[in-house]
Amino acid sequence: MIVVVGSRHDRSAVDLVSGWARYKAALLTCEDLSTPGWELRLPDRSGSRAVVSGQIVHEDDFRGVLIRRPCILDTELRHIGASDREFVTAEMNAFLLAWLAGLRCRVLNRPSGTSLCGPGWRPMQWTQAAAAAGLEVAPSTQNVPARRKRTSPRAEAPPPIEVTVVGSLSFGAPNDNYADAALRLSSYVHIPLLAVRFAGGGSTPVFSAATAMPSLRDPAVAQATCEYLTAESVPA
Amino acid sequence: MVLLWGISSDGPFAAVRDELQRIGVANRFLDQQTLLRSKISLSFEGVPGGTLTTPDWSADLSAFTAIYLRPYDPRRLAALSGLKPDSPRKLRALVFEDTLTCWLEITSARVVNRPSAMASNNSKPYQLSLIHSHGFAVPETLVTTDPAAALAFWERHGTAVYKSVSGVRSIVTQLRDEHRQRLQDVAHCPTQFQQFISGSDFRIHVVGDEVFGCEIRSCADDYRYPDRQGANVEVSSYDVPPELAERCRKLAASLNLPVAGLDLRLADSGNWFCFEVNPSPGFSFYEEATGQPIANAVARLLASAGE
């Protein structure tokens, strides 16, 4: 079974579940966290079970988990009384983090502590990681309060190039340089599902941004993600 | 130079600030209440750089060799009270804090403690797994939405406690008969139950390589909140055995916490259980009770980053 952690209002997550029906894919929503049946046992997780799409499932039945949300928002918990909503939101996020982080199956991307999906880094943290991985990076600045933007006309920048990494595969790279750079960053930060954006227009890839929750609309990327999640071996 | 970010009236924060002054370490105080009037410019060109400006001073970020932080939730600051959630001033304040936090994550200065490292404490069962993976005993734990499973867990252990999964409303409470009816409520939200470990409570503070031990005597379920049960609390110094001290140092280091407060219990069985690692410990309570120089140790740790 593949579990997709997301919102029932997220069309792309719902579509992934439909497309992966032969793998018994199912959507785990915040409503499932208000359904009897969850049991997370620690420190030995044996016997732990989850509620996915309203059904109780033993963790051993999972082949892979895809996370499509960085957190649960209090505005999603309409089924919880307003006075308790902020507290329940914190509790659900804390619980999901613990549950996802300790799963034995493949998880894309395993949470880190600050996000349910990957490291939850800010743009400049990604830039620093890219530089540390050996990528050329564009200088970046952030000012508070924000400075006025220049009003003089500038030459239109070429569109950025986005490369998506799924495990050892890359998609969207115009040449090997871009593919290698994206794969190098993915490997360096130990994030197997990653979209890396480069400034366009040059033969040398210049890093500009990254996300641990890339679009999976490209059927080839979605298929590679499915194959990664259902592969037999669990990465160390 | 050391940057201090927090509220002047906060006990541990004030104690560290006083110690830095006393031992003559240059420092700058970033008062969180001035966040609406403070500015930051952060850049990355191979290394982080930029400028921090408050109503009282301005400094190059690279001048700071260490940072001590105990910020409060900005949404609850007096400086922001009365502002609507979507007001431009409130959003500016939140972006200021986020930018400052970004710098704290990427700077090579010693940060006590980095926000990402402190985040493990926001999920108690997540941190419990990390603690267990580093060799400490931890209580059997069940997080569930199933009232029957909660009842079975309670009956199996005879005595059990419940506490929040997150860092919000984090008070330990022993299950008693009056809770039986309320067990049905767990269906709405995963709720954490733990085996009760009978024994003696200890708070161990790790500050770099230094370790300070306290023994706590109280009949309260959670000695941090004795008034809830009309209980007393007695705190005394405790000489931490070298082997235990080393385990505490290693656990704090593995969590990337140069300063940490470990909540331990020596079980009647003789095993050391670790319940939690507090990444921003309110050590002044223990310091006042025992006279242990914890603030001085934190100040020296911060000062040594510039040597």
Side-chain angles (χ1 to χ4, degrees):
Chain A
M1 164 182 212
I2 293 177
V3 176
V4 177
V5 180
S7 165
R8 60 193 168 93
H9 303 295
D10 179 354
R11 192 68 243 167
S12 64
V14 171
D15 288 347
L16 283 170
V17 168
S18 301
W20 294 345
R22 60 188 282 245
Y23 297 99
K24 297 181 182 172
L27 190 64
L28 193 166
T29 68
C30 60
E31 289 81 9
D32 284 324
L33 293 169
S34 293
T35 303
W38 283 93
E39 289 184 34
L40 171 62
R41 296 180 180 277
L42 297 172
D44 178 2
R45 282 182 73 130
S46 303
S48 292
R49 50 189 213 178
V51 177
V52 183
S53 294
Q55 303 297 311
I56 296 173
V57 188
H58 285 269
E59 285 183 6
D60 295 342
D61 294 336
F62 295 167
R63 292 190 69 180
V65 174
L66 176 70
I67 303 161
R68 300 302 290 173
R69 58 158 75 230
C71 63
I72 292 172
L73 300 173
D74 57 359
T75 49
E76 297 178 80
L77 302 182
R78 296 289 179 86
H79 59 287
I80 301 294
S83 61
D84 286 328
R85 209 169 282 158
E86 186 177 346
F87 172 68
V88 171
T89 303
E91 293 290 283
M92 287 184 172
N93 278 309
F95 171 72
L96 261 188
L97 173 67
W99 181 71
L100 292 166
L103 284 171
R104 285 186 289 262
C105 65
R106 288 191 169 203
V107 178
L108 287 175
N109 286 303
R110 209 169 281 272
S112 61
T114 52
S115 167
L116 293 180
C117 181
W121 284 339
R122 297 162 183 83
M124 208 176 285
Q125 290 177 267
W126 279 110
T127 302
Q128 186 191 45
L135 275 64
E136 188 175 330
V137 303
S140 61
T141 59
Q142 188 171 338
N143 300 301
V144 184
R147 292 179 183 163
R148 283 180 195 279
K149 289 181 178 171
R150 278 183 282 180
T151 53
S152 56
R154 291 198 307 175
E156 192 151 316
I161 293 165
E162 186 165 299
V163 181
T164 303
V165 174
V166 185
S168 59
L169 304 175
S170 69
F171 301 85
N175 59 48
D176 287 349
N177 287 343
Y178 283 85
D180 290 347
L183 287 165
R184 192 186 321 154
L185 178 57
S186 168
S187 173
Y188 183 81
V189 297
H190 304 292
I191 298 172
L193 180 60
L194 183 70
V196 187
R197 186 167 283 196
F198 301 96
S203 58
T204 305
V206 179
F207 173 91
S208 64
T211 175
M213 211 161 67
S215 167
L216 300 181
R217 286 215 177 90
D218 180 341
V221 175
Q223 180 59 30
T225 302
C226 181
E227 288 171 5
Y228 183 95
L229 290 171
T230 55
E232 287 301 320
S233 63
V234 175
Chain B
M1 184 159 64
V2 176
L3 175 65
L4 300 159
W5 179 31
I7 305 278
S8 59
S9 58
D10 177 74
F13 188 84
V16 170
R17 192 179 175 201
D18 289 346
E19 281 299 315
L20 285 170
Q21 303 280 28
R22 197 178 66 78
I23 62 177
V25 176
N27 64 84
R28 290 283 183 272
F29 171 39
L30 173 55
D31 184 346
Q32 205 186 2
Q33 297 287 11
T34 67
L35 83 175
L36 280 170
R37 292 177 288 142
S38 298
K39 303 173 185 174
I40 185 169
S41 174
L42 179 62
S43 62
F44 186 88
E45 291 185 52
V47 293
T51 312
L52 183 59
T53 304
T54 76
D56 303 315
W57 52 265
S58 180
D60 193 304
L61 291 173
S62 63
F64 296 112
T65 54
I67 301 102
Y68 181 67
L69 55 138
R70 271 180 66 86
Y72 285 56
D73 183 342
R75 294 170 300 176
R76 291 171 170 75
L77 285 176
L80 301 186
S81 65
L83 295 179
K84 290 180 179 173
D86 57 350
S87 79
R89 295 184 76 215
K90 189 158 195 170
L91 293 176
R92 177 207 183 280
L94 297 178
V95 175
F96 172 84
E97 293 233 343
D98 190 66
T99 305
L100 184 63
T101 302
C102 181
W103 172 62
L104 294 172
E105 295 290 0
I106 64 178
T107 177
S108 59
R110 177 175 291 161
V111 181
V112 178
N113 287 311
R114 283 193 207 274
S116 57
M118 292 202 274
S120 73
N121 193 237
N122 294 336
S123 171
K124 309 296 182 188
Y126 173 65
Q127 195 191 58
L128 199 73
S129 294
L130 296 175
I131 292 169
H132 184 252
S133 70
H134 288 94
F136 274 100
V138 297
E140 277 193 46
T141 299
L142 172 70
V143 192
T144 187
T145 56
D146 189 335
L151 182 60
F153 181 86
W154 181 9
E155 290 179 342
R156 184 159 70 85
H157 289 289
T159 313
V161 299
Y162 73 92
K163 60 184 186 182
S164 67
V165 184
S166 68
V168 182
R169 297 187 202 169
S170 179
I171 301 173
V172 180
T173 306
Q174 191 170 318
L175 286 168
R176 298 188 172 85
D177 275 343
E178 64 263 30
H179 294 112
R180 285 185 186 274
Q181 292 299 319
R182 290 179 53 202
L183 282 182
Q184 297 302 319
D185 293 346
V186 307
H188 301 293
C189 178
T191 304
Q192 179 172 231
F193 300 90
Q194 282 188 334
Q195 159 197 26
F196 176 76
I197 305 294
S198 177
S200 305
D201 281 318
F202 294 82
R203 163 58 76 94
I204 311 292
H205 289 104
V206 175
V207 183
D209 288 333
E210 298 184 63
V211 173
F212 302 90
C214 294
E215 182 172 6
I216 297 103
R217 291 184 196 84
S218 176
C219 58
D221 290 348
D222 190 329
Y223 72 79
R224 298 168 303 170
Y225 304 95
D227 294 344
R228 289 164 57 93
Q229 295 174 284
N232 290 325
V233 179
E234 291 178 25
V235 181
S236 56
S237 287
Y238 172 71
D239 287 332
V240 184
E243 185 271 338
L244 177 64
E246 187 57 20
R247 287 168 68 192
C248 292
R249 278 190 208 98
K250 284 184 175 172
L251 176 57
S254 71
L255 297 174
N256 294 318
L257 298 172
V259 173
L262 284 68
D263 289 326
L264 303 183
R265 187 168 292 167
L266 178 58
D268 296 340
S269 63
N271 281 343
W272 283 100
F273 281 73
C274 182
F275 296 104
E276 192 173 324
V277 180
N278 190 321
S280 186
F283 59 78
S284 46
F285 167 76
Y286 305 91
E287 187 170 70
E288 286 167 14
T290 63
Q292 292 172 335
I294 303 174
N296 176 266
V298 175
R300 285 186 286 106
L301 178 73
L302 295 165
S304 66
E307 294 170 354

